[in-house]
Amino acid sequence: MWQQPIYDRTKADVSAGADKCYINAALLNRLEGNSAYLAELLGPKIQTKTWTPTDLLTRSEMERILQNIQTLRDAYHTLPGTPALPEAPSTLYSDINTMEQVQWSMYELWRRNAQRSYTGEICAGQTIGVI
């Protein structure tokens, strides 16, 4: 199930110790879950993990999460203006914002496209069926 990403963290949030600025199981599970959800929609194969509060984030795990998002991005599109993914280890608040923004961009574009259905063709310069 899609989880609303958080990508509005600021330096002030970090300084204030805001909950949304911690890399914890909830954040990692949101990144992993949204990647898994997008993979189901878009088709590429990725490897995800379910995190527990006692798990430790390693560099290789962060690289895997980033690679999953890049694989999804390569399989589909992102909205114009979506930033490039950061490089590992990507634990800065701005890097996490970017990761979640890229996921949201793909989801939003898929959602918009899924709402449209093919209803015919537009004809340029022709009048059709006018009596």
Side-chain angles (χ1 to χ4, degrees):
M1 173 156 65
W2 180 256
Q3 297 178 53
Q4 184 62 39
I6 298 169
Y7 53 89
D8 65 347
R9 298 168 190 89
T10 65
K11 188 174 185 177
D13 292 331
V14 174
S15 296
D19 287 341
K20 66 182 177 180
C21 295
Y22 289 97
I23 296 178
N24 55 25
L27 166 69
L28 295 171
N29 285 326
R30 185 173 56 249
L31 286 168
E32 298 271 22
N34 286 348
S35 288
Y37 186 82
L38 288 166
E40 284 181 33
L41 296 175
L42 307 174
K45 303 288 184 217
I46 62 170
Q47 181 184 23
T48 60
K49 172 181 176 173
T50 300
W51 293 83
T52 65
T54 58
D55 289 337
L56 296 175
L57 177 64
T58 63
R59 181 183 181 99
S60 62
E61 289 288 3
M62 182 54 84
E63 288 171 350
R64 180 188 55 74
I65 292 168
L66 278 165
Q67 184 56 51
N68 283 345
I69 297 170
Q70 185 63 53
T71 297
L72 293 164
R73 189 176 190 154
D74 293 344
Y76 199 51
H77 303 283
T78 53
L79 294 170
T82 303
L85 283 171
E87 297 198 18
S90 303
T91 56
L92 296 173
Y93 75 91
S94 58
D95 292 343
I96 302 299
N97 280 349
T98 298
M99 294 166 68
E100 294 206 78
Q101 186 177 9
V102 168
Q103 287 181 321
W104 175 86
S105 175
M106 287 184 289
Y107 174 76
E108 182 65 14
L109 186 58
W110 177 87
R111 190 186 62 75
R112 288 180 191 176
N113 289 335
Q115 290 176 349
R116 297 200 173 105
S117 60
Y118 181 75
T119 58
E121 297 180 21
I122 298 173
C123 299
Q126 297 178 357
T127 305
I128 300 175
V130 175
I131 301 176

